[in-house]
Amino acid sequence: MTRGIALVTGAVRGVGRATAERLARGGYVVVAGVRDLDRAHEEYGDPPGIHLVELDVTVPAHIRAAAEIATDFAGGGAVDVLVNNAGHAMMAPQESGDLGAARAMFETNLWGAAAMVQAVVPAMREAGRGTVVTVSSIGARLSNPLVGFYHASKYALSALSEALSVEVGPFGVRVIMIEPGMI
């Protein structure tokens, strides 16, 4: 029996892959977004309940396509769970770090998550149900040398998630934020 439809970003390895696999074992149909579809097929094989889709959260066409595929699995209705996991880090001192690389990191870590919310949450709100899980970082609560750019992106992601919780909570949509440490 299907428990629902889940869309997971950044699902090729680590937390994203473990989340996709756990949701599938729990009865969800999982649309697992990955940047490199060929690599993901090699690493995953053909897992039951997991449908790999090309998804770079900085590419609007990928976002639309992944949301449409997940919506199709939901019979044209709302996705039940969105897991915003896509992200990456950079290490550099602020005084000499590559600002272009920092901006690119923000595009994925912050703006990519915001774009996924805009693609999926309106249907959740309309349906009166759904869950958004944001995978942030303990780095959203503290800062360390050489990872200030990364921490700033996670502080911002956590702030958006906290605001989203208040915005959509009255409509039956839950927002859960996870802030893991080193993995």
Side-chain angles (χ1 to χ4, degrees), residues 101-154:
R103 286 184 184 100
M105 183 183 57
F106 266 81
E107 284 296 324
T108 299
N109 294 3
L110 178 65
W111 300 120
M116 292 305 302
V117 164
Q118 288 186 349
V120 174
V121 170
M124 288 179 170
R125 186 173 38 79
E126 186 175 313
R129 62 174 174 67
T131 302
V132 177
V133 179
T134 301
V135 180
S136 181
S137 167
I138 190 65
R141 301 292 172 200
L142 55 92
S143 294
N144 291 312
L146 303 178
V147 284
F149 293 121
Y150 171 74
H151 290 304
S153 74
K154 293 302 186 169

mmCIF file of all heavy atoms in Angstrom, residues 101-154:
data_model
loop_
_atom_site.group_PDB
_atom_site.id
_atom_site.type_symbol
_atom_site.label_atom_id
_atom_site.label_comp_id
_atom_site.label_asym_id
_atom_site.label_seq_id
_atom_site.Cartn_x
_atom_site.Cartn_y
_atom_site.Cartn_z
ATOM 1 N N ALA A 101 31.872 31.417 -6.322
ATOM 2 C CA ALA A 101 31.573 30.091 -5.771
ATOM 3 C C ALA A 101 30.601 30.202 -4.599
ATOM 4 O O ALA A 101 29.709 29.363 -4.445
ATOM 5 C CB ALA A 101 32.859 29.400 -5.341
ATOM 6 N N ALA A 102 30.757 31.244 -3.785
ATOM 7 C CA ALA A 102 29.831 31.453 -2.670
ATOM 8 C C ALA A 102 28.415 31.725 -3.185
ATOM 9 O O ALA A 102 27.434 31.203 -2.656
ATOM 10 C CB ALA A 102 30.304 32.603 -1.782
ATOM 11 N N ARG A 103 28.314 32.545 -4.229
ATOM 12 C CA ARG A 103 26.993 32.824 -4.817
ATOM 13 C C ARG A 103 26.370 31.545 -5.379
ATOM 14 O O ARG A 103 25.175 31.302 -5.227
ATOM 15 C CB ARG A 103 27.108 33.886 -5.901
ATOM 16 C CG ARG A 103 27.319 35.270 -5.367
ATOM 17 C CD ARG A 103 27.330 36.315 -6.499
ATOM 18 N NE ARG A 103 27.633 37.624 -5.956
ATOM 19 C CZ ARG A 103 28.830 38.197 -6.004
ATOM 20 N NH1 ARG A 103 29.842 37.594 -6.607
ATOM 21 N NH2 ARG A 103 29.030 39.384 -5.467
ATOM 22 N N ALA A 104 27.176 30.724 -6.040
ATOM 23 C CA ALA A 104 26.678 29.466 -6.596
ATOM 24 C C ALA A 104 26.178 28.544 -5.484
ATOM 25 O O ALA A 104 25.156 27.865 -5.633
ATOM 26 C CB ALA A 104 27.763 28.776 -7.418
ATOM 27 N N MET A 105 26.887 28.531 -4.360
ATOM 28 C CA MET A 105 26.459 27.730 -3.227
ATOM 29 C C MET A 105 25.115 28.230 -2.699
ATOM 30 O O MET A 105 24.216 27.435 -2.407
ATOM 31 C CB MET A 105 27.516 27.762 -2.123
ATOM 32 C CG MET A 105 27.172 26.887 -0.942
ATOM 33 S SD MET A 105 28.385 27.009 0.372
ATOM 34 C CE MET A 105 28.375 28.759 0.711
ATOM 35 N N PHE A 106 24.943 29.545 -2.593
ATOM 36 C CA PHE A 106 23.662 30.109 -2.164
ATOM 37 C C PHE A 106 22.554 29.741 -3.153
ATOM 38 O O PHE A 106 21.414 29.499 -2.751
ATOM 39 C CB PHE A 106 23.751 31.632 -2.026
ATOM 40 C CG PHE A 106 24.063 32.093 -0.631
ATOM 41 C CD1 PHE A 106 25.364 32.088 -0.160
ATOM 42 C CD2 PHE A 106 23.058 32.548 0.212
ATOM 43 C CE1 PHE A 106 25.667 32.517 1.120
ATOM 44 C CE2 PHE A 106 23.347 32.980 1.499
ATOM 45 C CZ PHE A 106 24.659 32.962 1.955
ATOM 46 N N GLU A 107 22.869 29.721 -4.444
ATOM 47 C CA GLU A 107 21.865 29.342 -5.456
ATOM 48 C C GLU A 107 21.313 27.951 -5.174
ATOM 49 O O GLU A 107 20.113 27.726 -5.300
ATOM 50 C CB GLU A 107 22.448 29.406 -6.869
ATOM 51 C CG GLU A 107 22.594 30.801 -7.410
ATOM 52 C CD GLU A 107 21.269 31.536 -7.585
ATOM 53 O OE1 GLU A 107 20.242 30.913 -7.948
ATOM 54 O OE2 GLU A 107 21.258 32.761 -7.344
ATOM 55 N N THR A 108 22.181 27.035 -4.807
ATOM 56 C CA THR A 108 21.731 25.674 -4.493
ATOM 57 C C THR A 108 21.119 25.603 -3.107
ATOM 58 O O THR A 108 19.979 25.170 -2.941
ATOM 59 C CB THR A 108 22.908 24.682 -4.593
ATOM 60 O OG1 THR A 108 23.403 24.690 -5.932
ATOM 61 C CG2 THR A 108 22.480 23.278 -4.210
ATOM 62 N N ASN A 109 21.870 26.013 -2.094
ATOM 63 C CA ASN A 109 21.465 25.798 -0.706
ATOM 64 C C ASN A 109 20.225 26.586 -0.309
ATOM 65 O O ASN A 109 19.409 26.091 0.470
ATOM 66 C CB ASN A 109 22.606 26.172 0.248
ATOM 67 C CG ASN A 109 23.805 25.267 0.109
ATOM 68 O OD1 ASN A 109 23.844 24.376 -0.724
ATOM 69 N ND2 ASN A 109 24.813 25.497 0.927
ATOM 70 N N LEU A 110 20.083 27.787 -0.816
ATOM 71 C CA LEU A 110 18.970 28.646 -0.405
ATOM 72 C C LEU A 110 17.925 28.800 -1.501
ATOM 73 O O LEU A 110 16.767 28.422 -1.336
ATOM 74 C CB LEU A 110 19.504 30.028 0.007
ATOM 75 C CG LEU A 110 18.434 31.046 0.426
ATOM 76 C CD1 LEU A 110 17.721 30.596 1.685
ATOM 77 C CD2 LEU A 110 19.068 32.410 0.602
ATOM 78 N N TRP A 111 18.337 29.351 -2.623
ATOM 79 C CA TRP A 111 17.365 29.671 -3.667
ATOM 80 C C TRP A 111 16.796 28.419 -4.318
ATOM 81 O O TRP A 111 15.625 28.405 -4.737
ATOM 82 C CB TRP A 111 17.965 30.630 -4.689
ATOM 83 C CG TRP A 111 18.393 31.904 -4.047
ATOM 84 C CD1 TRP A 111 19.655 32.420 -4.012
ATOM 85 C CD2 TRP A 111 17.573 32.817 -3.300
ATOM 86 N NE1 TRP A 111 19.664 33.597 -3.294
ATOM 87 C CE2 TRP A 111 18.407 33.857 -2.842
ATOM 88 C CE3 TRP A 111 16.230 32.841 -2.962
ATOM 89 C CZ2 TRP A 111 17.931 34.914 -2.083
ATOM 90 C CZ3 TRP A 111 15.747 33.894 -2.191
ATOM 91 C CH2 TRP A 111 16.605 34.910 -1.763
ATOM 92 N N GLY A 112 17.575 27.348 -4.398
ATOM 93 C CA GLY A 112 17.050 26.091 -4.928
ATOM 94 C C GLY A 112 15.937 25.545 -4.059
ATOM 95 O O GLY A 112 14.898 25.092 -4.553
ATOM 96 N N ALA A 113 16.135 25.598 -2.741
ATOM 97 C CA ALA A 113 15.090 25.143 -1.817
ATOM 98 C C ALA A 113 13.846 26.019 -1.937
ATOM 99 O O ALA A 113 12.718 25.518 -1.938
ATOM 100 C CB ALA A 113 15.623 25.145 -0.382
ATOM 101 N N ALA A 114 14.051 27.323 -2.046
ATOM 102 C CA ALA A 114 12.910 28.236 -2.187
ATOM 103 C C ALA A 114 12.144 27.954 -3.475
ATOM 104 O O ALA A 114 10.901 27.966 -3.497
ATOM 105 C CB ALA A 114 13.391 29.686 -2.158
ATOM 106 N N ALA A 115 12.862 27.659 -4.549
ATOM 107 C CA ALA A 115 12.206 27.352 -5.824
ATOM 108 C C ALA A 115 11.413 26.047 -5.730
ATOM 109 O O ALA A 115 10.312 25.939 -6.298
ATOM 110 C CB ALA A 115 13.241 27.280 -6.948
ATOM 111 N N MET A 116 11.942 25.060 -5.025
ATOM 112 C CA MET A 116 11.204 23.807 -4.842
ATOM 113 C C MET A 116 9.929 24.050 -4.046
ATOM 114 O O MET A 116 8.874 23.494 -4.359
ATOM 115 C CB MET A 116 12.087 22.760 -4.145
ATOM 116 C CG MET A 116 13.252 22.253 -4.977
ATOM 117 S SD MET A 116 12.811 21.568 -6.592
ATOM 118 C CE MET A 116 11.685 20.252 -6.135
ATOM 119 N N VAL A 117 10.007 24.876 -3.020
ATOM 120 C CA VAL A 117 8.810 25.225 -2.240
ATOM 121 C C VAL A 117 7.768 25.861 -3.154
ATOM 122 O O VAL A 117 6.586 25.499 -3.128
ATOM 123 C CB VAL A 117 9.170 26.160 -1.059
ATOM 124 C CG1 VAL A 117 7.945 26.845 -0.489
ATOM 125 C CG2 VAL A 117 9.909 25.366 0.017
ATOM 126 N N GLN A 118 8.189 26.794 -3.983
ATOM 127 C CA GLN A 118 7.236 27.460 -4.873
ATOM 128 C C GLN A 118 6.629 26.490 -5.876
ATOM 129 O O GLN A 118 5.483 26.667 -6.289
ATOM 130 C CB GLN A 118 7.902 28.632 -5.585
ATOM 131 C CG GLN A 118 8.171 29.793 -4.646
ATOM 132 C CD GLN A 118 8.692 31.023 -5.359
ATOM 133 O OE1 GLN A 118 9.055 31.000 -6.536
ATOM 134 N NE2 GLN A 118 8.736 32.128 -4.637
ATOM 135 N N ALA A 119 7.361 25.452 -6.258
ATOM 136 C CA ALA A 119 6.859 24.491 -7.235
ATOM 137 C C ALA A 119 5.890 23.475 -6.629
ATOM 138 O O ALA A 119 5.021 22.964 -7.332
ATOM 139 C CB ALA A 119 8.025 23.749 -7.891
ATOM 140 N N VAL A 120 6.022 23.197 -5.332
ATOM 141 C CA VAL A 120 5.287 22.088 -4.732
ATOM 142 C C VAL A 120 4.268 22.515 -3.671
ATOM 143 O O VAL A 120 3.172 21.945 -3.583
ATOM 144 C CB VAL A 120 6.295 21.071 -4.130
ATOM 145 C CG1 VAL A 120 5.598 19.966 -3.374
ATOM 146 C CG2 VAL A 120 7.185 20.498 -5.225
ATOM 147 N N VAL A 121 4.591 23.507 -2.873
ATOM 148 C CA VAL A 121 3.760 23.833 -1.717
ATOM 149 C C VAL A 121 2.381 24.413 -2.070
ATOM 150 O O VAL A 121 1.419 24.133 -1.350
ATOM 151 C CB VAL A 121 4.538 24.728 -0.721
ATOM 152 C CG1 VAL A 121 3.638 25.291 0.370
ATOM 153 C CG2 VAL A 121 5.672 23.915 -0.097
ATOM 154 N N PRO A 122 2.207 25.186 -3.130
ATOM 155 C CA PRO A 122 0.843 25.675 -3.405
ATOM 156 C C PRO A 122 -0.193 24.552 -3.510
ATOM 157 O O PRO A 122 -1.307 24.692 -2.987
ATOM 158 C CB PRO A 122 1.007 26.436 -4.722
ATOM 159 C CG PRO A 122 2.417 26.950 -4.665
ATOM 160 C CD PRO A 122 3.187 25.797 -4.043
ATOM 161 N N ALA A 123 0.155 23.433 -4.123
ATOM 162 C CA ALA A 123 -0.789 22.315 -4.212
ATOM 163 C C ALA A 123 -1.008 21.678 -2.844
ATOM 164 O O ALA A 123 -2.121 21.237 -2.525
ATOM 165 C CB ALA A 123 -0.297 21.274 -5.214
ATOM 166 N N MET A 124 0.043 21.630 -2.007
ATOM 167 C CA MET A 124 -0.122 21.121 -0.646
ATOM 168 C C MET A 124 -1.113 21.991 0.126
ATOM 169 O O MET A 124 -2.017 21.489 0.795
ATOM 170 C CB MET A 124 1.220 21.113 0.099
ATOM 171 C CG MET A 124 2.212 20.085 -0.328
ATOM 172 S SD MET A 124 3.731 20.290 0.676
ATOM 173 C CE MET A 124 4.628 18.818 0.212
ATOM 174 N N ARG A 125 -0.905 23.292 0.027
ATOM 175 C CA ARG A 125 -1.786 24.229 0.736
ATOM 176 C C ARG A 125 -3.225 24.056 0.273
ATOM 177 O O ARG A 125 -4.149 23.988 1.076
ATOM 178 C CB ARG A 125 -1.313 25.665 0.534
ATOM 179 C CG ARG A 125 -2.102 26.670 1.364
ATOM 180 C CD ARG A 125 -1.556 28.074 1.309
ATOM 181 N NE ARG A 125 -1.050 28.504 0.023
ATOM 182 C CZ ARG A 125 -1.808 28.906 -1.000
ATOM 183 N NH1 ARG A 125 -3.113 28.906 -0.899
ATOM 184 N NH2 ARG A 125 -1.245 29.300 -2.125
ATOM 185 N N GLU A 126 -3.412 23.941 -1.030
ATOM 186 C CA GLU A 126 -4.756 23.773 -1.580
ATOM 187 C C GLU A 126 -5.393 22.470 -1.097
ATOM 188 O O GLU A 126 -6.591 22.419 -0.820
ATOM 189 C CB GLU A 126 -4.705 23.796 -3.107
ATOM 190 C CG GLU A 126 -6.071 23.781 -3.750
ATOM 191 C CD GLU A 126 -5.987 23.934 -5.247
ATOM 192 O OE1 GLU A 126 -5.259 24.834 -5.729
ATOM 193 O OE2 GLU A 126 -6.653 23.146 -5.947
ATOM 194 N N ALA A 127 -4.579 21.411 -0.982
ATOM 195 C CA ALA A 127 -5.078 20.117 -0.518
ATOM 196 C C ALA A 127 -5.291 20.082 0.992
ATOM 197 O O ALA A 127 -5.956 19.184 1.507
ATOM 198 C CB ALA A 127 -4.103 19.007 -0.923
ATOM 199 N N GLY A 128 -4.691 21.047 1.696
ATOM 200 C CA GLY A 128 -4.833 21.081 3.146
ATOM 201 C C GLY A 128 -3.959 20.084 3.879
ATOM 202 O O GLY A 128 -4.236 19.726 5.022
ATOM 203 N N ARG A 129 -2.886 19.657 3.212
ATOM 204 C CA ARG A 129 -1.996 18.678 3.834
ATOM 205 C C ARG A 129 -0.652 18.662 3.111
ATOM 206 O O ARG A 129 -0.542 19.088 1.975
ATOM 207 C CB ARG A 129 -2.596 17.278 3.793
ATOM 208 C CG ARG A 129 -2.809 16.813 2.373
ATOM 209 C CD ARG A 129 -3.267 15.377 2.267
ATOM 210 N NE ARG A 129 -3.588 15.027 0.900
ATOM 211 C CZ ARG A 129 -2.721 14.936 -0.094
ATOM 212 N NH1 ARG A 129 -1.441 15.152 0.120
ATOM 213 N NH2 ARG A 129 -3.113 14.625 -1.313
ATOM 214 N N GLY A 130 0.331 18.136 3.806
ATOM 215 C CA GLY A 130 1.657 17.988 3.232
ATOM 216 C C GLY A 130 2.731 18.297 4.259
ATOM 217 O O GLY A 130 2.451 18.887 5.308
ATOM 218 N N THR A 131 3.925 17.866 3.937
ATOM 219 C CA THR A 131 5.060 18.096 4.822
ATOM 220 C C THR A 131 6.261 18.527 3.991
ATOM 221 O O THR A 131 6.574 17.898 2.976
ATOM 222 C CB THR A 131 5.424 16.817 5.607
ATOM 223 O OG1 THR A 131 4.278 16.382 6.350
ATOM 224 C CG2 THR A 131 6.591 17.058 6.551
ATOM 225 N N VAL A 132 6.914 19.586 4.431
ATOM 226 C CA VAL A 132 8.165 20.041 3.842
ATOM 227 C C VAL A 132 9.255 19.780 4.869
ATOM 228 O O VAL A 132 9.166 20.267 6.002
ATOM 229 C CB VAL A 132 8.124 21.544 3.485
ATOM 230 C CG1 VAL A 132 9.471 22.010 2.940
ATOM 231 C CG2 VAL A 132 7.002 21.837 2.503
ATOM 232 N N VAL A 133 10.252 19.013 4.477
ATOM 233 C CA VAL A 133 11.389 18.742 5.349
ATOM 234 C C VAL A 133 12.581 19.482 4.760
ATOM 235 O O VAL A 133 12.958 19.259 3.615
ATOM 236 C CB VAL A 133 11.689 17.234 5.435
ATOM 237 C CG1 VAL A 133 12.905 16.994 6.334
ATOM 238 C CG2 VAL A 133 10.473 16.462 5.933
ATOM 239 N N THR A 134 13.155 20.364 5.548
ATOM 240 C CA THR A 134 14.324 21.118 5.120
ATOM 241 C C THR A 134 15.547 20.567 5.836
ATOM 242 O O THR A 134 15.587 20.549 7.068
ATOM 243 C CB THR A 134 14.171 22.612 5.456
ATOM 244 O OG1 THR A 134 13.011 23.109 4.805
ATOM 245 C CG2 THR A 134 15.382 23.402 5.014
ATOM 246 N N VAL A 135 16.512 20.091 5.057
ATOM 247 C CA VAL A 135 17.761 19.623 5.649
ATOM 248 C C VAL A 135 18.724 20.803 5.625
ATOM 249 O O VAL A 135 19.243 21.186 4.591
ATOM 250 C CB VAL A 135 18.332 18.406 4.888
ATOM 251 C CG1 VAL A 135 19.637 17.946 5.534
ATOM 252 C CG2 VAL A 135 17.304 17.279 4.851
ATOM 253 N N SER A 136 18.905 21.383 6.797
ATOM 254 C CA SER A 136 19.807 22.520 6.951
ATOM 255 C C SER A 136 21.111 21.993 7.549
ATOM 256 O O SER A 136 21.667 21.019 7.044
ATOM 257 C CB SER A 136 19.147 23.593 7.831
ATOM 258 O OG SER A 136 19.983 24.710 7.970
ATOM 259 N N SER A 137 21.566 22.583 8.627
ATOM 260 C CA SER A 137 22.834 22.179 9.227
ATOM 261 C C SER A 137 22.943 22.781 10.618
ATOM 262 O O SER A 137 22.367 23.842 10.884
ATOM 263 C CB SER A 137 23.991 22.696 8.364
ATOM 264 O OG SER A 137 25.222 22.595 9.042
ATOM 265 N N ILE A 138 23.692 22.135 11.481
ATOM 266 C CA ILE A 138 24.016 22.747 12.764
ATOM 267 C C ILE A 138 24.724 24.077 12.513
ATOM 268 O O ILE A 138 24.700 24.979 13.333
ATOM 269 C CB ILE A 138 24.856 21.801 13.649
ATOM 270 C CG1 ILE A 138 24.977 22.340 15.079
ATOM 271 C CG2 ILE A 138 26.232 21.577 13.069
ATOM 272 C CD1 ILE A 138 23.682 22.393 15.834
ATOM 273 N N GLY A 139 25.306 24.193 11.314
ATOM 274 C CA GLY A 139 25.950 25.432 10.907
ATOM 275 C C GLY A 139 24.978 26.600 10.801
ATOM 276 O O GLY A 139 25.398 27.738 10.625
ATOM 277 N N ALA A 140 23.672 26.324 10.904
ATOM 278 C CA ALA A 140 22.689 27.408 10.938
ATOM 279 C C ALA A 140 22.583 28.013 12.331
ATOM 280 O O ALA A 140 21.924 29.035 12.515
ATOM 281 C CB ALA A 140 21.319 26.887 10.505
ATOM 282 N N ARG A 141 23.225 27.382 13.298
ATOM 283 C CA ARG A 141 23.136 27.847 14.688
ATOM 284 C C ARG A 141 24.467 28.305 15.257
ATOM 285 O O ARG A 141 24.516 28.848 16.348
ATOM 286 C CB ARG A 141 22.565 26.730 15.568
ATOM 287 C CG ARG A 141 21.198 26.253 15.148
ATOM 288 C CD ARG A 141 20.157 27.319 15.373
ATOM 289 N NE ARG A 141 18.886 26.885 14.777
ATOM 290 C CZ ARG A 141 17.925 27.718 14.481
ATOM 291 N NH1 ARG A 141 18.053 29.001 14.711
ATOM 292 N NH2 ARG A 141 16.818 27.281 13.950
ATOM 293 N N LEU A 142 25.538 28.057 14.537
ATOM 294 C CA LEU A 142 26.868 28.473 15.002
ATOM 295 C C LEU A 142 27.747 28.700 13.787
ATOM 296 O O LEU A 142 27.439 28.261 12.691
ATOM 297 C CB LEU A 142 27.496 27.396 15.905
ATOM 298 C CG LEU A 142 27.596 25.987 15.323
ATOM 299 C CD1 LEU A 142 28.928 25.782 14.624
ATOM 300 C CD2 LEU A 142 27.424 24.970 16.412
ATOM 301 N N SER A 143 28.824 29.406 13.976
ATOM 302 C CA SER A 143 29.734 29.680 12.863
ATOM 303 C C SER A 143 31.154 29.299 13.237
ATOM 304 O O SER A 143 31.577 29.502 14.377
ATOM 305 C CB SER A 143 29.687 31.168 12.491
ATOM 306 O OG SER A 143 28.427 31.501 11.980
ATOM 307 N N ASN A 144 31.858 28.773 12.265
ATOM 308 C CA ASN A 144 33.252 28.389 12.447
ATOM 309 C C ASN A 144 34.110 29.077 11.399
ATOM 310 O O ASN A 144 33.619 29.421 10.318
ATOM 311 C CB ASN A 144 33.407 26.867 12.309
ATOM 312 C CG ASN A 144 32.770 26.127 13.449
ATOM 313 O OD1 ASN A 144 32.967 26.460 14.605
ATOM 314 N ND2 ASN A 144 31.984 25.110 13.127
ATOM 315 N N PRO A 145 35.392 29.253 11.686
ATOM 316 C CA PRO A 145 36.293 29.857 10.698
ATOM 317 C C PRO A 145 36.332 29.040 9.412
ATOM 318 O O PRO A 145 36.215 27.815 9.432
ATOM 319 C CB PRO A 145 37.659 29.828 11.394
ATOM 320 C CG PRO A 145 37.386 29.579 12.828
ATOM 321 C CD PRO A 145 36.068 28.890 12.923
ATOM 322 N N LEU A 146 36.474 29.712 8.317
ATOM 323 C CA LEU A 146 36.646 29.157 6.983
ATOM 324 C C LEU A 146 35.369 28.575 6.357
ATOM 325 O O LEU A 146 35.392 28.149 5.220
ATOM 326 C CB LEU A 146 37.766 28.113 6.934
ATOM 327 C CG LEU A 146 39.137 28.591 7.409
ATOM 328 C CD1 LEU A 146 40.132 27.442 7.348
ATOM 329 C CD2 LEU A 146 39.625 29.775 6.592
ATOM 330 N N VAL A 147 34.287 28.543 7.102
ATOM 331 C CA VAL A 147 33.028 28.062 6.531
ATOM 332 C C VAL A 147 31.908 29.092 6.721
ATOM 333 O O VAL A 147 30.738 28.749 6.739
ATOM 334 C CB VAL A 147 32.620 26.665 7.072
ATOM 335 C CG1 VAL A 147 33.443 25.572 6.453
ATOM 336 C CG2 VAL A 147 32.693 26.629 8.581
ATOM 337 N N GLY A 148 32.298 30.342 6.852
ATOM 338 C CA GLY A 148 31.314 31.403 7.050
ATOM 339 C C GLY A 148 30.318 31.521 5.917
ATOM 340 O O GLY A 148 29.124 31.745 6.150
ATOM 341 N N PHE A 149 30.762 31.355 4.666
ATOM 342 C CA PHE A 149 29.837 31.435 3.537
ATOM 343 C C PHE A 149 28.798 30.312 3.623
ATOM 344 O O PHE A 149 27.607 30.522 3.425
ATOM 345 C CB PHE A 149 30.582 31.352 2.202
ATOM 346 C CG PHE A 149 31.474 32.522 1.918
ATOM 347 C CD1 PHE A 149 32.829 32.340 1.712
ATOM 348 C CD2 PHE A 149 30.959 33.814 1.838
ATOM 349 C CE1 PHE A 149 33.658 33.414 1.430
ATOM 350 C CE2 PHE A 149 31.786 34.894 1.554
ATOM 351 C CZ PHE A 149 33.131 34.700 1.352
ATOM 352 N N TYR A 150 29.264 29.108 3.926
ATOM 353 C CA TYR A 150 28.354 27.962 4.069
ATOM 354 C C TYR A 150 27.371 28.206 5.208
ATOM 355 O O TYR A 150 26.161 28.021 5.042
ATOM 356 C CB TYR A 150 29.154 26.683 4.315
ATOM 357 C CG TYR A 150 28.299 25.499 4.678
ATOM 358 C CD1 TYR A 150 27.538 24.848 3.706
ATOM 359 C CD2 TYR A 150 28.258 25.015 5.982
ATOM 360 C CE1 TYR A 150 26.750 23.759 4.036
ATOM 361 C CE2 TYR A 150 27.478 23.925 6.317
ATOM 362 C CZ TYR A 150 26.723 23.297 5.345
ATOM 363 O OH TYR A 150 25.947 22.218 5.676
ATOM 364 N N HIS A 151 27.903 28.609 6.357
ATOM 365 C CA HIS A 151 27.025 28.864 7.501
ATOM 366 C C HIS A 151 25.993 29.928 7.169
ATOM 367 O O HIS A 151 24.816 29.799 7.537
ATOM 368 C CB HIS A 151 27.835 29.267 8.736
ATOM 369 C CG HIS A 151 28.634 28.148 9.329
ATOM 370 N ND1 HIS A 151 28.083 26.958 9.720
ATOM 371 C CD2 HIS A 151 29.954 28.047 9.590
ATOM 372 C CE1 HIS A 151 29.015 26.161 10.205
ATOM 373 N NE2 HIS A 151 30.176 26.808 10.135
ATOM 374 N N ALA A 152 26.395 30.959 6.472
ATOM 375 C CA ALA A 152 25.447 32.024 6.096
ATOM 376 C C ALA A 152 24.313 31.462 5.238
ATOM 377 O O ALA A 152 23.146 31.827 5.422
ATOM 378 C CB ALA A 152 26.175 33.141 5.358
ATOM 379 N N SER A 153 24.637 30.561 4.314
ATOM 380 C CA SER A 153 23.582 29.973 3.474
ATOM 381 C C SER A 153 22.626 29.137 4.313
ATOM 382 O O SER A 153 21.418 29.129 4.065
ATOM 383 C CB SER A 153 24.188 29.131 2.342
ATOM 384 O OG SER A 153 24.700 27.902 2.795
ATOM 385 N N LYS A 154 23.130 28.453 5.313
ATOM 386 C CA LYS A 154 22.276 27.610 6.155
ATOM 387 C C LYS A 154 21.483 28.444 7.162
ATOM 388 O O LYS A 154 20.341 28.102 7.479
ATOM 389 C CB LYS A 154 23.110 26.530 6.853
ATOM 390 C CG LYS A 154 23.691 25.511 5.876
ATOM 391 C CD LYS A 154 22.590 24.816 5.073
ATOM 392 C CE LYS A 154 23.146 23.709 4.205
ATOM 393 N NZ LYS A 154 22.090 22.861 3.625
#
